[in-house]
């Protein structure tokens, strides 16, 4: 290979690696932290593998954080009507209390959507010790088990915030899921078209065959009521299958939960 071509290849490889790695924190991300939504900060413990993308071709996994909330039940109905699946990274108490939306959580589970953990009360795990981290996970597991009879084996850390201790502690028991595409819906709550553009531009460009794990928030009204139906249609129109995170990683449903 000619030196120039080799250099170009190296740059390409480097960029690809960089894009696939967690985005770097910025000032805006700190706002995100304050606003209570998501950012992704890197640094996993050695040997702990974080999930950013799907591995099954032609799939897209739409993920909804921070529920359950007042829109959960309608979202489940919407996905069911489109013959599509979603993943809900839920809290015990955040915008809503899990016990107030137990019916919606049960319906989501019964319909084959994936229920995953987003910790009990959405605290920043990177500020906690191992005992506190485990307590955040265990408390929600118990609450979820009371509702659906099983507890999740997949989790997403609040704000996407991780460090060595978090990934070591949580990674021993859960598959840690970040995301490959962020709709940033919380940054423009009243502008769902900008979120849809992430599907139309970035997701399409990133990989025509899908493979993306997309982050949005089920607590945002326009995400639930305007964005999602259009995003589902867009994804399906492109021939990509909307599946859960577990499915998009080729994992059998039995492995998404423990008894
Ligand atoms: Zn969150």
């Amino acid at each position: 290979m000619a030196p120039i071509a080799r250099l170009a290849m190296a740059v390409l490889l480097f960029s690809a690696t960089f894009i696939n790695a967690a985005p770097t924190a910025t000032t805006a991300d700190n706002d995100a932290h304050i606003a209570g939504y998501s950012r992704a900060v890197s640094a996993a413990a050695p040997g702990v593998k974080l999930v950013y993308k799907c591995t099954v071709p032609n799939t897209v996994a739409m993920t909804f954080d921070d529920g359950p909330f007042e829109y959960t039940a309608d979202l489940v109905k919407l996905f069911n009507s489109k013959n599509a699946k979603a993943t809900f990274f839920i809290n015990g108490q955040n915008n809503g209390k899990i016990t107030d939306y137990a019916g919606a959580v049960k319906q989501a589970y019964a319909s084959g959507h994936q229920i995953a953990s987003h910790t009990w009360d959405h605290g920043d795990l990177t500020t906690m010790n191992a005992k506190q981290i485990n307590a955040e996970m265990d408390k929600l597991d118990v609450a979820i088990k009371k509702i659906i009879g099983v507890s999740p084996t997949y989790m997403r850390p609040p704000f996407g915030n991780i460090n060595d201790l978090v990934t070591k502690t949580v990674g021993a028991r859960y598959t840690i899921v970040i995301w490959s595409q962020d709709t940033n819906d919380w940054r423009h709550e009243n502008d769902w078209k900008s979120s849809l553009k992430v599907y139309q531009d970035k997701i399409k460009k990133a990989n025509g065959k899908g493979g993306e794990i997309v982050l949005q928030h089920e607590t945002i009204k326009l995400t639930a009521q305007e964005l999602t139906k259009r995003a589902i249609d867009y994804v399906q129109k492109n021939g990509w299958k909307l599946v859960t995170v577990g499915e998009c990683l080729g994992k059998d449903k039995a492995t998404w939960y423990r008894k």
Side-chain angles (χ1 to χ4, degrees), residues 140-168:
L140 180 62
D141 279 1
V142 168
I144 291 177
K145 193 169 182 174
K146 267 188 194 154
I147 297 169
I148 61 173
V150 287
S151 53
T153 56
Y154 283 61
M155 72 82 66
R156 174 176 283 155
F159 319 104
N161 279 2
I162 50 164
N163 59 19
D164 194 89
L165 180 66
V166 170
T167 50
K168 204 161 54 188

Side-chain angles (χ1 to χ4, degrees), residues 36-38 65-66 91 94 118 122 157-159 217:
Y37 288 111
S38 304
D65 286 11
D66 295 2
N91 297 114
N94 191 355
H118 197 37
H122 208 269
F159 319 104
H217 297 84

Side-chain angles (χ1 to χ4, degrees), residues 129-225:
N129 62 35
K131 200 178 158 196
Q132 291 167 321
I133 294 167
N134 281 322
E136 275 289 320
M137 301 306 299
D138 292 344
K139 197 170 177 188
L140 180 62
D141 279 1
V142 168
I144 291 177
K145 193 169 182 174
K146 267 188 194 154
I147 297 169
I148 61 173
V150 287
S151 53
T153 56
Y154 283 61
M155 72 82 66
R156 174 176 283 155
F159 319 104
N161 279 2
I162 50 164
N163 59 19
D164 194 89
L165 180 66
V166 170
T167 50
K168 204 161 54 188
T169 308
V170 175
R173 293 194 290 151
Y174 303 84
T175 299
I176 303 172
V177 182
I178 311 295
W179 55 82
S180 62
Q181 298 290 344
D182 188 350
T183 61
N184 274 307
D185 56 349
W186 62 271
R187 281 182 208 261
H188 37 71
E189 288 197 35
N190 296 311
D191 176 19
W192 56 265
K193 286 181 185 167
S194 292
S195 296
L196 188 62
K197 259 188 97 59
V198 172
Y199 285 89
Q200 294 163 330
D201 297 346
K202 281 190 172 177
I203 294 175
K204 185 148 196 187
K205 202 178 289 172
N207 184 348
K209 294 190 183 77
E212 305 298 319
I213 296 176
V214 194
L215 168 65
Q216 50 236 319
H217 297 84
E218 62 162 298
T219 46
I220 293 176
K221 190 176 181 185
L222 294 189
T223 292
Q225 297 182 345

